[in-house]
């Protein structure tokens, strides 16, 4: 099934739009793309939220992926036809007071509970990108969660993968334990984040 939005762009949907008992059920891809939004999560309450991305100067892009587009296969796991090469990521417009950057890729699908696919910290303030396959040369000191390409479970539909770049007010940040889910990182990053930007993209097995 596909939906054509007001810009005459066709969106492939992972399930039909259903209206039943005065409730409407729509594709995650449809909602995020039309609203230009990302998924959020309140872990303790078990609630998934939809957050419209703010209009600001700090932008995150990728030369390989369009916003709310599909992730090319070479960036996903071998088991789903990929090469497990880390995604190229660019950012512009960071605050002048930025002292370092952190980059995190989350799987925002409800089943995955914000599982971290890549986490890189202590990127110097003069940087504006992580090149394609940067994961192959980053140290463990920076790459606190090695790149793990997308590998969503079959029959779970579109997974929204969110690439977030954090501009931090500290040159070096220490994460004291293993990173698996967003809650392993969020408290440390939120304490020092002065701006952030997110690129949303999709993949399904």
């Amino acid at each position: 099934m596909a939906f054509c939005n007001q810009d005459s762009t066709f969106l492939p949907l992972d399930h039909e739009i259903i209206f039943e008992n005065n409730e409407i059920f729509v594709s995650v891809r449809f909602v995020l793309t039309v609203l230009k939004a990302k998924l959020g999560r309140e872990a303790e309450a078990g609630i998934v939220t939809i957050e419209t991305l703010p209009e600001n100067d700090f932008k995150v892009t990728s030369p390989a992926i369009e916003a709310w587009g599909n992730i090319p296969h070479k960036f996903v796991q071998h088991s789903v036809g990929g090469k497990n090469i880390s995604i190229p990521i660019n950012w512009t417009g960071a605050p002048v007071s930025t002292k370092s950057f952190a980059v995190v890729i989350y799987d925002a699908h409800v089943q995955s509970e914000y599982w971290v696919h890549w986490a890189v910290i202590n990127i110097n303030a003069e940087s504006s990108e992580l090149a394609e396959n940067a994961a192959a040369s980053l140290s463990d000191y920076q790459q606190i969660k090695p790149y793990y390409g997308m590998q969503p479970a079959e029959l779970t539909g579109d997974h929204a993968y969110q690439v977030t770049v954090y501009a931090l007010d500290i040159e070096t940040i220490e994460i004291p334990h293993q990173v698996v889910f967003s809650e392993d990182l969020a408290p440390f990053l939120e304490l020092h984040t002065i701006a952030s930007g997110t690129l949303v993209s999709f993949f399904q097995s």
Side-chain angles (χ1 to χ4, degrees):
M1 180 180 180
F3 173 81
C4 181
N5 67 11
Q6 63 183 1
D7 298 322
S8 297
T9 300
F10 283 90
L11 307 177
L13 304 183
D14 56 348
H15 64 74
E16 294 182 354
I17 297 174
I18 301 170
F19 184 75
E20 185 176 278
N21 298 327
N22 294 320
E23 294 182 332
I24 188 168
F25 300 88
V26 299
S27 166
V28 168
R29 179 190 289 262
F30 171 81
V31 173
L32 298 186
T33 304
V34 171
L35 296 181
K36 303 303 181 188
K38 65 177 182 177
L39 290 176
R41 181 168 177 262
E42 296 179 14
E44 293 183 2
I47 296 173
V48 175
T49 61
I50 297 172
E51 304 170 9
T52 302
L53 294 181
E55 288 290 335
N56 57 39
D57 293 331
F58 193 24
K59 305 292 185 185
V60 178
T61 59
S62 171
I65 304 169
E66 292 185 7
W68 297 281
N70 293 318
I71 296 173
H73 270 78
K74 72 176 176 178
F75 303 116
V76 306
Q77 274 295 316
H78 299 284
S79 61
V80 286
K83 298 181 179 179
N84 200 38
I85 294 172
S86 64
I87 295 169
I89 302 166
N90 299 71
W91 56 91
T92 58
V96 295
S97 57
T98 300
K99 294 186 177 179
S100 71
F101 295 101
V103 174
V104 185
I105 300 180
Y106 307 98
D107 181 351
H109 193 281
V110 63
Q111 184 187 60
S112 301
E113 299 182 340
Y114 259 53
W115 198 80
V116 175
H117 277 264
W118 197 23
V120 184
I121 59 173
N122 302 325
I123 303 169
N124 70 64
E126 289 71 42
S127 297
S128 61
E129 69 172 356
L130 288 174
E132 182 174 308
N133 204 28
S137 58
L138 288 171
S139 68
D140 292 342
Y141 169 71
Q142 283 189 289
Q143 193 171 208
I144 57 173
K145 176 64 180 290
Y147 185 81
Y148 189 92
M150 296 68 205
Q151 190 183 20
E154 292 184 0
L155 304 178
T156 57
D158 280 319
H159 282 230
Y161 294 93
Q162 300 181 172
V163 180
T164 300
V165 180
Y166 301 87
L168 307 178
D169 64 3
I170 189 171
E171 291 183 4
T172 302
I173 188 169
E174 300 292 337
I175 309 297
H177 46 67
Q178 184 181 14
V179 171
V180 178
F181 298 101
S182 64
E183 51 261 41
D184 300 322
L185 273 169
F188 303 97
L189 296 179
E190 289 172 0
L191 185 63
H192 295 286
T193 296
I194 53 179
S196 65
T198 299
L199 170 68
V200 181
S201 54
F202 297 95
F203 187 79
Q204 66 171 293
S205 295

